[in-house]
Amino acid sequence: MTRPFGYFVHHQGRGHAERCAAILQALPPSRPVTIFCARDDIFPALPTQARIVTIPSLFEPTGQEVAMDWVATPATLHCAPLGWPGIRSAMATIADWFAQADPALMICDVSAEIAQLARICSVPHVKVLQHGDRGDAGHRAAYDGAAGLLAAFHRDLAQLDWDAAMVEKTCFAGGLGVDTQGPDRSAARSGWGLASVRR
């Protein structure tokens, strides 16, 4: 039997979900995939071998939290507040799936903590890269511990502060998850109100 892939999808916006669907459509139908996300209503059509497990949000409070802000977050973590039962539940769900499913790979789009959880649980992970200031120790630990990095853009758009080792382990996949089909010429002209003979 083919070992499954896990896939964590950040639920803010639709871009992470669109990228997930594009990647899953490219996988062989024999590869089962379990998606972990705080929402199940943001996804386009997914292949039949994919299933979604809804987990609590890792950053939106519910009112059940016990504030423990006086305990500093270590530099090796990016977002890991103490006293959040939702985070405990989400992490337990994923760690239990790791133990039961014996996945071949976890894809993280995006969470430095989920990526590190995969590494701690001895599951190889691929970390999706985003632009911005992510040179903190928490993000760097997630990148350094990854089996590979995935950038949904061209190599020319790599940030100057990404070192050679990071760029070397990155798969640049420009346009991944983006619908590049435009309207045909006559539909485009009609949309702009241009006559077919006008330059």
Side-chain angles (χ1 to χ4, degrees), residues 8-11 36-38 55-61 65 79-81 84 86-92 94 110-115 117:
F8 173 79
V9 176
H10 194 298
H11 66 282
F36 298 92
C37 186
I55 58 172
S57 170
L58 301 177
F59 64 90
E60 295 165 325
E65 296 74 23
C79 177
W84 284 49
I87 293 176
R88 281 194 297 276
S89 176
M91 294 295 191
I94 295 170
V110 289
S111 166
E113 282 68 40
I114 297 291
L117 176 69

Side-chain angles (χ1 to χ4, degrees), residues 36-55:
F36 298 92
C37 186
R39 291 180 56 187
D40 62 4
D41 62 341
I42 59 173
F43 292 88
L46 295 169
T48 58
Q49 79 266 25
R51 73 180 183 107
I52 300 171
V53 173
T54 305
I55 58 172

